[in-house]
Amino acid sequence: PGLRFFFRGEGFAAEMELGASGDFVVLAGSRARLKTTATIPRATSALRKTLLDSGALKQEADFLVFTSDYGFGSASAAAATVIGASANGRILW
């Protein structure tokens, strides 16, 4: 198994592994914050909507759950999607 990273806080608890192709894979069952902040990048907001529409993310109670593993191009994109705000993934994971 590869390296596993954790990102936890109020309203979220996610796990991530480095994928074989160098992507940043948030693991199924990870929880993302339901609410977003004013600092969320537009691209991240659009991605969260796409993930919800496709079923890769689904709302459960007061958070969002990854229904399958999902690969991101950067640790920051993964962190921002999980936290619902602008994020530096190199620091937060």
Side-chain angles (χ1 to χ4, degrees):
L3 292 176
R4 187 166 283 197
F5 300 88
F6 302 91
F7 184 31
R8 293 191 169 100
E10 188 176 332
F12 64 95
E15 294 183 33
M16 178 182 76
E17 289 183 348
L18 295 178
S21 61
D23 55 339
F24 299 85
V25 181
V26 174
L27 303 178
S30 292
R31 292 183 298 171
R33 186 178 285 159
L34 178 62
K35 294 184 179 182
T36 61
T37 68
T39 64
I40 188 171
R42 273 189 254 168
T44 303
S45 183
L47 176 58
R48 283 170 56 107
K49 182 180 179 337
T50 299
L51 293 174
L52 282 163
D53 291 346
S54 72
L57 270 179
K58 71 175 183 174
Q59 184 173 346
E60 284 187 10
D62 293 335
F63 49 86
L64 301 174
V65 176
F66 281 83
T67 60
S68 59
D69 295 351
Y70 189 84
F72 292 87
S74 74
S76 292
T81 300
V82 167
I83 199 169
S86 183
N88 182 335
R90 299 269 180 201
I91 294 172
L92 296 172
W93 286 103

